[in-house]
Amino acid sequence: MRRALDVISTTLRSLGHHVIDWYDAAPAGSVSATSSASPTTPPSTTPPSLEELCGIAVKAFLLDAGVDVHKAFALSGEKLFNHVVQFYGTEPDSEKEKRASELAAVNVEKREAQKAFMEYWNESKNRSGTGRPVDVIICPPAPFCPAIPGTYLYYTFSGWISALDYTCVVVPVINSDKNIDKKDPNFKPLSEQDTNIQALYDPDVFDGMSVGLQLVGRRFEEEKMITIADYIGKALKKQQQQRPDK
């Protein structure tokens, strides 16, 4: 993921675009791209953390205790995937369905978080160097390449987007290379969960796998994000074709 971020930011800079850190408003190592210029004023507002946003999303997912999910699976008789069972059990539990007041409370919490993040995004015009807010947040969709079945342990990199009702599209950037993407001998975990996720990476197993990054836009920006994804995808392809080893 780190190399993919380096590749995409280098490509955008080479095209005259500006890439700035998104501070604590997006996953570690993520970036935000705008037109060319230099960052100026640091942010004065603090956005909701990704963990907080993902927590709100999970609350929303569990409001009906899985009634809708189980109804959908029942239409085909498809076997429940283990991760679905972890969230919703083997059958719906009506006793765990939330009351209307609890649903309203989650919606209030969600709107307040959306407002805070919107204000942070709007304020990015003070540090984009263009006088305009950034166009897109570029960040990992997950802390790993395509996950080995049963090992998807961390949802925050995508859950925060659901809480904000933002637009997102994933673009392929590189393929994992065991000769380049080796385990980091200086890795220092931030938590036990971080240790467990890092332990999942095996350069030999993931060799050749596609590594994509997600482009995150604001609400109702589907057309804009598709256009940006097409633009970046073509730029990455052109850069790859120009590499001397190709």
Side-chain angles (χ1 to χ4, degrees):
M1 288 299 173
R2 184 183 303 140
R3 183 162 68 90
L5 285 167
D6 289 340
V7 167
I8 201 169
S9 59
T10 298
T11 299
L12 288 171
R13 288 190 177 103
S14 72
L15 294 172
H17 298 286
H18 184 62
V19 179
I20 63 174
D21 290 332
W22 191 245
Y23 297 96
D24 294 329
S30 60
V31 293
S32 176
T34 69
S35 300
S36 58
S38 300
T40 53
T41 308
S44 62
T45 59
T46 302
S49 70
L50 297 190
E51 293 291 348
E52 178 183 353
L53 291 171
C54 191
I56 294 171
V58 171
K59 288 180 185 178
F61 297 160
L62 298 177
L63 284 171
D64 74 341
V67 170
D68 188 62
V69 168
H70 284 285
K71 184 183 296 184
F73 273 96
L75 293 174
S76 66
E78 181 182 354
K79 182 180 178 181
L80 294 175
F81 187 59
N82 289 339
H83 285 71
V84 176
V85 174
Q86 289 175 13
F87 263 91
Y88 300 109
T90 56
E91 58 184 26
D93 187 349
S94 59
E95 293 185 0
K96 292 184 178 180
E97 286 189 71
K98 302 302 181 183
R99 300 188 301 270
S101 59
E102 294 173 298
L103 186 152
V106 171
N107 278 314
V108 169
E109 184 180 11
K110 178 172 172 282
R111 286 197 300 271
E112 290 176 345
Q114 289 174 329
K115 181 176 183 294
F117 204 95
M118 176 190 69
E119 292 173 347
Y120 184 84
W121 194 312
N122 288 342
E123 197 181 60
S124 67
K125 67 182 182 181
N126 298 325
R127 53 195 174 92
S128 68
T130 66
R132 297 183 293 105
V134 300
D135 294 307
V136 57
I137 298 173
I138 304 172
C139 55
F144 31 60
C145 300
I148 297 172
T151 65
Y152 203 112
L153 305 176
Y154 193 71
Y155 303 92
T156 302
F157 279 21
S158 57
W160 69 279
I161 302 170
S162 297
L164 295 171
D165 288 336
Y166 276 177
T167 304
C168 174
V169 58
V170 175
V171 294
V173 180
I174 60 172
N175 288 328
S176 179
D177 186 331
K178 65 180 180 181
N179 298 313
I180 301 175
D181 306 309
K182 302 178 182 295
K183 283 200 170 188
D184 184 358
N186 299 316
F187 170 72
K188 295 181 179 179
L190 300 175
S191 64
E192 181 179 354
Q193 185 178 47
D194 196 17
T195 299
N196 295 335
I197 291 174
Q198 184 70 15
L200 293 173
Y201 180 64
D202 184 327
D204 291 316
V205 172
F206 288 97
D207 185 43
M209 287 192 177
S210 177
V211 182
L213 293 175
Q214 56 187 357
L215 312 178
V216 183
R218 308 177 85 167
R219 298 183 71 187
F220 311 118
E221 289 191 342
E222 285 80 2
E223 294 87 352
K224 177 180 178 179
M225 297 313 300
I226 290 174
T227 301
I228 291 176
D230 180 64
Y231 172 78
I232 291 179
K234 289 177 179 177
L236 290 168
K237 184 177 181 180
K238 183 177 180 180
Q239 183 196 58
Q240 184 182 38
Q241 292 173 340
Q242 294 174 343
R243 284 173 50 187
D245 60 335
K246 293 294 180 182

